[in-house]
Amino acid sequence: MLIWRIAQSKWALDKLCAGARNEGGRWNPAGMAAMYAGTNVEICALEMFAHIAGVDHPPLKLVAIDIPDNPKLTYTPAIMDLPAGWADLPVSAASQQFGGRWLGDSGQLVMFVPSVLVPEAMNAVINPTHPDYQHVSLKIIREFTFDSRMFK
């Protein structure tokens, strides 16, 4: 199964997930590694734009992530099962705890969660401690840039 990510060049092929581990994210507390991706390039672009809009950003890469195509390795919680405040800004402790429990259990390789920006689109949280993570491959497809009209 192919999923996508847009990342700063220095993190594009980082299978240790240092950025998310150091900073934490919506679905992982700081100190717990996770890799964030999306089910299509469009949601990845929108998510990245939301994070960098209005600031000068470092070079970006579009990365294809190949994960084993096995439904037993994925978890998609129903939106009603997500904690209250999962879409809050700043990120809520509840969503980090929810994701942290999932990461700690290591039961599945990928958790598909709705995007805060477009809840009908799915983001993917990849668990680097899952035994099948060794079968995940990352490949830089190309440089990624935003059309200059997006910054007007």
Side-chain angles (χ1 to χ4, degrees):
M1 174 188 316
L2 205 58
I3 57 178
W4 301 90
R5 92 189 235 110
I6 295 171
Q8 292 181 26
S9 296
K10 68 180 180 176
W11 304 120
L13 299 177
D14 177 25
K15 283 191 76 177
L16 297 176
C17 309
R21 184 184 63 239
N22 294 341
E23 302 295 324
R26 181 163 305 280
W27 300 106
N28 72 301
M32 187 170 264
M35 182 180 291
Y36 286 81
T39 56
N40 60 58
V41 175
E42 297 88 341
I43 194 60
C44 293
L46 189 58
E47 294 279 355
M48 181 56 73
F49 189 73
H51 287 280
I52 61 134
V55 298
D56 189 26
H57 60 85
L60 301 171
K61 305 283 187 195
L62 175 62
V63 180
I65 304 172
D66 193 16
I67 59 173
D69 196 6
N70 179 346
K72 293 180 181 177
L73 296 177
T74 65
Y75 169 55
T76 307
I79 199 161
M80 67 195 106
D81 293 334
L82 297 176
W86 71 269
D88 288 355
L89 287 174
V91 170
S92 74
S95 66
Q96 289 183 327
Q97 290 166 359
F98 181 91
R101 279 191 301 276
W102 174 79
L103 288 162
D105 289 345
S106 294
Q108 299 89 20
L109 177 63
V110 182
M111 177 171 64
F112 291 106
V113 291
S115 164
V116 169
L117 300 170
V118 182
E120 294 78 12
M122 299 302 280
N123 287 330
V125 183
I126 304 170
N127 188 345
T129 65
H130 189 277
D132 284 300
Y133 187 65
Q134 66 182 333
H135 303 296
V136 172
S137 65
L138 308 176
K139 179 181 178 185
I140 293 174
I141 301 301
R142 63 176 174 86
E143 300 284 328
F144 186 89
T145 57
F146 290 101
D147 186 294
S148 62
R149 294 173 292 178
M150 295 177 75
F151 295 97
K152 289 185 177 182

